[in-house]
Amino acid sequence: MCNSNYETIKVTFTHPIQTIDKMFCDTGINWGVESLKEWIESYESTRLNALSERTVIITSKYNMVFVRKWLEINIETEKIETI
């Protein structure tokens, strides 16, 4: 049985995740994490699973609005779709 309290999005990035991860170390900003996965999973009840080098699935029980907004502001994406 599915838990309908969780929201799920599929995100396709413009650049490979490996390139995105570099922003957490190379920008001079102290993000407090070293990767996109760590940043996303710092939100309570939120998980990121990579499907390919540019596509991920993100699930969240409480924070999807904040995660999605952060992605839209900080990361170049090709598509964000609700699943």
Side-chain angles (χ1 to χ4, degrees):
M1 175 185 245
C2 276
N3 185 339
S4 61
N5 294 328
Y6 278 85
E7 293 180 69
T8 303
I9 60 174
K10 181 179 178 182
V11 183
T12 303
F13 299 105
T14 304
H15 303 287
I17 297 165
Q18 187 176 29
T19 301
I20 295 167
D21 285 345
K22 291 178 183 176
M23 85 173 221
F24 293 96
C25 299
D26 295 346
T27 61
I29 298 171
N30 182 1
W31 292 93
V33 297
E34 295 183 6
S35 70
L36 177 64
K37 182 173 177 67
E38 283 184 69
W39 180 263
I40 296 296
E41 292 188 358
S42 70
Y43 286 93
E44 181 183 356
S45 80
T46 305
R47 296 294 173 260
L48 179 148
N49 292 296
L51 296 178
S52 70
E53 70 173 13
R54 294 187 315 116
T55 303
V56 299
I57 296 289
I58 300 172
T59 58
S60 184
K61 188 169 186 177
Y62 308 108
N63 294 299
M64 189 60 78
V65 170
F66 305 109
V67 170
R68 191 177 189 133
K69 184 169 183 90
W70 183 86
L71 287 169
E72 290 169 348
I73 292 169
N74 293 286
I75 310 290
E76 291 181 48
T77 61
E78 285 184 14
K79 184 192 287 187
I80 301 177
E81 57 187 306
T82 302
I83 299 178

